[in-house]
Amino acid sequence: MSTVVLIGAQWGDEGKGKVTDFLAEKAQMVVRYQGGNNAGHTVVVDDREFKLHLIPSGILYENKVCIIGNGTVIDPKVLLEELKSLRDRGVNTDNLRISSKAHVIMPYHQRIDAADEESKGNQKIGTTGRGIGPAYMDKSARVGVRMADLVDDEEFPKVLESALAQKNRLLTEYYGVEGFDYKELLQEYQGYAQELRGYVEDVSVLVSGTIEEGRNVLFEGAQGTMLDLDHGTYPFVTSSHPVAASACLGTGIGPTKIDKVIGVAKAYITRVGEGPFPTELFDETGKFIRKQGHEFGTTTGRPRRCGWFDAVVARYSARINGLDYLSITKLDVLSGMDTIKICTGYKYKGEVMNEFPESRKALAACEPIYEEYPGWKEDISAVRKYEDLPDTTKRYLERLGEVSGVPVGIIGIGPKRSQTIIMEKLY
Ligand code: GDP
Ligand code: IMO
Ligand code: MG
């Protein structure tokens, strides 16, 4: 039996979708446990590209049970569109199960998200605009709509009526934007409920049962450690917990059930949206990485900010998540560079700082300390064995593992399933 939690070890978009798809082959079940359709996970199967936002990447296999856990927030309209687009492409979606405790993103959440960003001006977070923060706010404030409410024809009208009265006041009186009509919203969402009802159940029972049977379960994190509400670069974070511990909370299983944690990290680093990013590159090198790596957001299409691999972030991520292995992705993107840098620490007030600073003021004043390594010119995307990588590539990888304090278990040298080198057996 093996249960593996796979998380983003940086600021998201590390290639979690691709690695999940690769590891899912040996799993019985794949579980999303937090976040919503702010996530954009790209999976390439036989030259066909799929962009998944809510549905676990395991759905692309015929026989994997795919779970959307209670820790997620679900936009029913987006979920139905995603289901339809998968079905239209011949993917069987019957194996999907949705937690009755997951919270629903309503259209007022998106409108509040947009109005709130607008009102913040240059202090904005740069959210994906999908209503994620406002939906989690309602969950914490205990006024949210859960999937169980949505699919209950008696409960939903009551829950919506009281939630909407409050939201319409907020939208019209505070933000000065339009509210929503109760009857229209009720009708529209009862329609979605009708289509989703069959998928909704107590997923904690399903996940626990599968673990008890000794099957392999893979937990697919969304976003990344540095976007975590508690442990990320607050306030420039998302409103959920992308860290490994959240796999338990967001599914309804205990911590003793997790065997291994894998952190996915790019061979460099990217960030979308606002917020601190110590190793960000503003020069031609940053542009080169963006172009080579097609670094544009999967969900919003925004250009991703690019920078050098940051080992302070990697060590922090190793600690917060208890990482067993790193999965280093997009190594192929660095081919063609003369030199490659790794940030090993930060300089703060003349001293070397090895831990990621907790205070925003300190973080803003930190300067990265770099080690420089020779690059490689070879195209490595067709390499299938570690030994066949150029010596300079191997040296760079070895150093990434050393400075991160975590062994490299998987290497990505392209977006396809086959473009993966396994260093450590995970199941
Ligand atoms: P996620 O949100 O962590 O799943 O990552 P995204 O899908 O948003 O972004 C990662 C992008 O890199 C996707 O377009 C993947 O197809 C692609 N990708 C993943 N691994 C590799 C790799 O090893 N090499 C290359 N060149 N592309 C990769
Ligand atoms: P995946 O799963 C990268 C970022 C947004 C913004 C901040 C808050 O594909 O790695 P939100 O809409 O969540 O309130 O936005 O978080 N963000 C992501 N960045 N990858 C993601 O998901 C992200 N999901 C949210 O850009 O800075
Ligand atoms: Mg993404």
Side-chain angles (χ1 to χ4, degrees):
M1 187 266 306
S2 209
T3 51
V4 174
V5 179
L6 185 141
I7 56 98
Q10 297 166 329
W11 272 284
D13 300 326
E14 298 90 347
K16 298 175 292 294
K18 184 219 154 167
V19 184
T20 300
D21 172 70
F22 180 80
L23 294 176
E25 193 192 348
K26 293 209 169 74
Q28 165 74 15
M29 180 176 263
V30 184
V31 186
R32 269 282 308 267
Y33 54 88
Q34 47 72 227
N37 59 310
N38 47 349
H41 295 184
T42 316
V43 180
V44 181
V45 185
D46 302 331
D47 290 326
R48 295 206 305 162
E49 189 180 72
F50 294 87
K51 289 180 189 294
L52 297 156
H53 298 285
L54 259 168
I55 300 175
S57 300
I59 201 78
L60 302 174
Y61 291 89
E62 186 67 26
N63 56 350
K64 314 291 172 196
V65 180
C66 287
I67 305 280
I68 301 182
N70 58 275
T72 63
V73 283
I74 299 174
D75 184 327
K77 194 174 168 185
V78 171
L79 177 57
L80 285 165
E81 280 164 10
E82 195 164 314
L83 281 166
K84 183 178 179 308
S85 86
L86 285 170
R87 275 192 224 109
D88 287 350
R89 296 180 71 186
V91 177
N92 173 21
T93 57
D94 294 344
N95 290 331
L96 183 69
R97 301 287 178 272
I98 304 168
S99 169
S100 49
K101 293 184 196 161
H103 277 249
V104 180
I105 302 178
M106 297 295 292
Y108 47 77
H109 291 131
Q110 286 149 17
R111 201 167 288 176
I112 293 167
D113 196 349
D116 200 55
E117 283 280 89
E118 173 89 25
S119 73
K120 283 194 173 115
N122 62 8
Q123 301 292 304
K124 72 175 196 282
I125 309 290
T127 72
T128 57
R130 302 299 193 258
I132 306 295
Y136 278 115
M137 276 164 72
D138 276 5
K139 175 177 176 174
S140 298
R142 296 160 293 183
V143 294
V145 179
R146 304 206 291 183
M147 285 305 289
D149 304 319
L150 178 74
V151 299
D152 184 329
D153 280 340
E154 274 175 37
E155 276 308 302
F156 184 57
K158 290 185 264 175
V159 175
L160 179 65
E161 193 171 23
S162 78
L164 190 62
Q166 195 198 36
K167 291 299 177 276
N168 274 345
R169 273 207 308 281
L170 180 69
L171 284 166
T172 55
E173 291 172 26
Y174 181 75
Y175 289 114
V177 295
E178 238 182 287
F180 289 87
D181 180 75
Y182 170 69
K183 282 209 173 108
E184 273 177 30
L185 216 54
L186 180 67
Q187 203 181 10
E188 182 183 348
Y189 279 74
Q190 279 184 327
Y192 301 146
Q194 183 78 5
E195 289 187 71
L196 289 173
R197 190 167 287 125
Y199 293 105
V200 178
E201 65 179 274
D202 183 344
V203 302
S204 163
V205 171
L206 286 178
V207 180
S208 299
T210 308
I211 295 173
E212 290 311 313
E213 282 169 17
R215 311 288 195 105
N216 295 332
V217 178
L218 181 59
F219 295 86
E220 177 183 8
Q223 289 80 52
T225 304
M226 305 314 283
L227 288 170
D228 185 272
L229 183 58
D230 272 271
H231 300 290
T233 46
Y234 192 87
F236 299 99
V237 293
T238 191
S239 299
S240 72
H241 295 284
V243 297
S246 157
C248 294
L249 198 59
T251 317
I253 57 157
T256 50
K257 304 293 176 201
I258 303 297
D259 294 318
K260 284 205 167 53
V261 182
I262 299 172
V264 186
K266 280 175 184 161
Y268 46 95
I269 203 161
T270 62
R271 172 164 208 171
V272 213
E274 310 301 319
F277 180 2
T279 62
E280 183 165 10
L281 287 163
F282 298 96
D283 57 5
E284 288 305 312
T285 310
K287 279 190 202 150
F288 174 87
I289 295 176
R290 183 174 308 119
K291 187 160 175 280
Q292 293 284 111
H294 308 289
E295 294 297 355
F296 294 88
T298 310
T299 299
T300 55
R302 290 178 288 178
R304 292 173 181 155
R305 300 155 65 191
C306 301
W308 296 120
F309 186 89
D310 188 335
V312 184
V313 166
R315 289 194 295 268
Y316 180 74
S317 212
R319 169 157 55 87
I320 299 291
N321 296 292
L323 296 185
D324 291 300
Y325 296 113
L326 274 177
S327 169
I328 297 290
T329 60
K330 305 193 91 161
L331 191 61
D332 53 304
V333 171
L334 298 181
S335 289
M337 301 186 100
D338 293 327
T339 51
I340 302 176
K341 291 184 187 177
I342 301 177
C343 164
T344 55
Y346 300 151
K347 203 164 172 192
Y348 178 61
K349 293 189 172 168
E351 304 274 322
V352 176
M353 199 178 216
N354 286 312
E355 300 297 336
F356 197 82
E358 292 210 303
S359 114
R360 328 179 186 184
K361 242 170 39 196
L363 182 56
C366 278
E367 273 178 48
I369 302 166
Y370 288 115
E371 282 180 359
E372 211 168 295
Y373 287 85
W376 57 90
K377 300 288 173 194
E378 297 90 330
D379 175 358
I380 58 169
S381 61
V383 173
R384 294 295 172 265
K385 283 201 239 124
Y386 181 76
E387 304 80 76
D388 297 338
L389 287 170
D391 286 343
T392 42
T393 318
K394 284 193 271 204
R395 188 160 165 229
Y396 177 68
L397 266 175
E398 268 164 34
R399 191 62 185 144
L400 285 195
E402 269 168 23
V403 291
S404 305
V406 185
V408 176
I410 309 172
I411 302 161
I413 32 110
K416 296 183 188 171
R417 272 181 194 167
S418 58
Q419 292 174 308
T420 311
I421 301 174
I422 280 283
M423 308 285 289
E424 305 278 348
K425 212 162 170 271
L426 298 165
Y427 291 112

